[in-house]
Amino acid sequence: QVQLVESGGGLVQAGGSLRLSCEASGSIFSIGAMAWYRQAPEKQRELVARILSGGSSIYADSVKGRFTISRDNAKNTAYLQMSSLKPEDAAVYYCNAERVTTPRGLYNLWGHGTQVTVSS
């Protein structure tokens, strides 16, 4: 069974850093873009950062210069390095993997989410 598992969330003080990881497990031939989304209470889910298999990336304006997305294709893993965290960054962070090619077909996967809490 192919799935995404996030890790690395937690509680951090404003100004601090966290690194999130997202590993795709199972029998996987390739993965297209990988992305991080977040959803705060009573708000819509929003794109935080997205990275293509070749490494090019985009960011939400609110996190530019503070967050860095990266991936290790050999490990089917994406990362989100978050620095200078602000209370408004607090949310559940979800990993998404597009066009996951497996022996059983093509999938778009979501992780279950990891909580990031930022204290002021």
Side-chain angles (χ1 to χ4, degrees), residues 17-102:
S17 299
L18 280 176
R19 189 192 194 208
L20 306 183
S21 298
C22 168
E23 180 180 2
S25 62
S27 183
I28 296 172
F29 294 140
S30 65
I31 301 175
M34 299 186 77
W36 289 95
Y37 289 76
R38 67 186 181 188
Q39 187 167 18
E42 301 182 359
K43 291 189 176 181
Q44 289 190 334
R45 188 174 297 192
E46 63 173 354
L47 176 67
V48 176
R50 183 173 182 263
I51 185 168
L52 301 181
S53 58
S56 59
S57 58
I58 60 170
Y59 297 89
D61 288 342
S62 60
V63 306
K64 282 180 181 176
R66 300 187 297 121
F67 291 11
T68 302
I69 190 171
S70 60
R71 64 189 285 173
D72 184 334
N73 292 331
K75 296 181 179 179
N76 291 328
T77 300
Y79 305 95
L80 186 67
Q81 178 67 47
M82 305 185 293
S83 303
S84 302
L85 282 159
K86 304 175 182 180
E88 52 263 42
D89 293 318
V92 178
Y93 283 70
Y94 296 91
C95 181
N96 171 250
E98 301 173 19
R99 292 177 31 247
V100 180
T101 305
T102 76

